Amino acid sequence: MPDMSASVSLAMTHLVPLAKEVDENKVTPGVLGFIVFAAMAVAVWGLMKSMSKHMGKVDFKQPADPEKTSAGATTTAAAAGTTSATPATTTGKPSSTS
């Protein structure tokens, strides 16, 4: 076993000067900072994945309101001076009259 302690002693004499090169007045995040950052990254990834799944379920087309559609068709037909059997449909886009 004397050989083992000699190699440990040799390793310590080489590693201690390397550890002393670190500035003791400098603050570093260390292992705990890395773990917190990695946990936050995993949480954000999970939230983004969940949001993507939920946004895929959203239907962006609004169903036509039967009360507004029939009232809109009547007033539009009366204003135009004609009668229409089909209700007016809207695209939801603003009209551009310039």
Side-chain angles (χ1 to χ4, degrees):
M1 284 299 216
D3 184 37
M4 181 82 162
S5 64
S7 63
V8 170
S9 176
L10 182 62
M12 290 302 290
T13 57
H14 288 298
L15 293 178
V16 170
L18 291 175
K20 291 292 182 183
E21 290 178 12
V22 176
D23 187 10
E24 293 177 0
N25 296 325
K26 189 181 218 182
V27 177
T28 60
V31 175
L32 180 63
F34 174 75
I35 292 171
V36 169
F37 181 78
M40 289 175 59
V42 169
V44 168
W45 175 78
L47 287 171
M48 293 295 288
K49 188 173 179 180
S50 175
M51 184 187 72
S52 176
K53 184 173 76 172
H54 285 286
M55 289 298 285
K57 294 179 183 179
V58 174
D59 183 21
F60 289 104
K61 295 180 183 176
Q62 293 182 341
D65 190 11
E67 294 176 7
K68 288 185 179 180
T69 305
S70 62
T74 307
T75 56
T76 305
T82 62
T83 59
S84 175
T86 59
T89 58
T90 59
T91 60
K93 297 179 183 174
S95 61
S96 58
T97 55
S98 40

